[in-house]
Amino acid sequence: MTVYEALDDPGSEIYDAVVLAGGAARRLGGVDKPGVRVGGRALLDRVLAACSDAHTTVVVADPRPTARPVTWAREDPPGGGPLAALDAGLRHTTAEEVVVLSADLPFLGGATVRRLLTALRACGADGVLLTDADGRDQPLVAAYQAPALRRELAALSDQHSGLTGLPLRRLTAALDLTRVLEPVASFDCDTWDDIATARARIREHGHVLDEWISAVKDELGIDLDVDTGVLLDLARDAAHGVARPAAPLTTFLVGYAAAQAGGGPEAVADASRKAAALALRWADEDTADGKPDVAPDATPDTRPDAG
């Protein structure tokens, strides 16, 4: 068993995702853990955003409102444990590769999901899972070969007359697994202290803007990646060169113009460039002290009462 240094390009292969969201959350007093909000978003929605490019996403839990459509499944009987839940979710998937996730990963992002898939395709193992800061395996932050999962789940079911109540380690012990160390993405929320830690971290200076943008896009149903640096530069130029209220109004108008032009990152970038150039021209005029406020080729007004 080795630690794999994952690459970044997962290729274009199709994968499915199974999210286990039906646990009892005993250490949280039985609260609905997938619905607990971190950074304004439910933990479940944060995980669903990380695997948004999956061909099929199955959530094993009782149905609830989510930020994007998913397929719902439930183990029988409900509360039968992670192996029973995983088996129930896999029955709704068809891809050869499946990402298996818990619903309490506040810092999981799409980049980590892509790394797991890339590692899986490169190493030839049955699965690739994350390890946390203490070196512990996190089998519910992992990518697996779906046939290997089905094979071992069927074997365990035959051996134990079902999967209800069996611990996850019974499955992972039978698989050839590779590890990827990623302490932040593997952080899960089992206690209220964990929730408090997650909420504090995303409000740190280095994270808060990205977290806010992601939350707004989820809330508005926007799936669009744009260069936020360009928009921030535009807002700065409008605020400094024109007036402070010009910043939010200008960025709103840029978004509206981009939508009118068909939307997409290119439309946003084009509208931003035009507005930024205008803001700079505006500011240049304001600092051109003593220069006539006329075009260079304008004819001077020589009337006696001019000026």
Side-chain angles (χ1 to χ4, degrees), residues 68-129:
R68 68 182 185 88
V70 300
T71 298
W72 296 97
R74 201 69 168 112
E75 70 274 26
D76 185 18
L83 290 192
L86 177 57
D87 182 66
L90 280 174
R91 295 177 185 277
H92 295 269
T93 67
T94 57
E96 290 293 302
E97 298 161 344
V98 59
V99 171
V100 177
L101 306 168
S102 61
D104 61 351
L105 302 165
F107 305 129
L108 181 69
T112 297
V113 171
R114 291 190 291 272
R115 288 191 190 100
L116 288 168
L117 290 165
T118 299
L120 181 66
R121 292 160 188 165
C123 72
D126 293 330
V128 178
L129 52 77

Side-chain angles (χ1 to χ4, degrees), residues 288-299:
D289 296 334
K291 294 182 180 179
D293 190 17
V294 294
D297 58 350
T299 302

Side-chain angles (χ1 to χ4, degrees), residues 228-246:
T228 55
V230 170
L231 292 175
L232 289 173
D233 288 345
L234 167 60
R236 178 202 61 205
D237 292 341
H240 292 174
V242 183
R244 188 171 298 275

Side-chain angles (χ1 to χ4, degrees), residues 33 49-50 53 117 169 177 180 188 194 278:
K33 183 164 66 168
D53 57 347
L117 290 165
R169 63 178 178 272
L177 299 175
V180 174
D188 56 359
D194 294 336
L278 174 61

Side-chain angles (χ1 to χ4, degrees), residues 51-70:
C51 58
S52 61
D53 57 347
H55 179 260
T56 298
T57 299
V58 183
V59 179
V60 186
D62 292 330
R64 68 178 66 219
T66 52
R68 68 182 185 88
V70 300

Side-chain angles (χ1 to χ4, degrees), residues 5 11 26 56 63 66 94 108 131 147 155 157 228 250 302:
E5 184 177 352
R26 292 183 180 87
T56 298
T66 52
T94 57
L108 181 69
T131 57
S157 182
T228 55
T250 304
T302 56

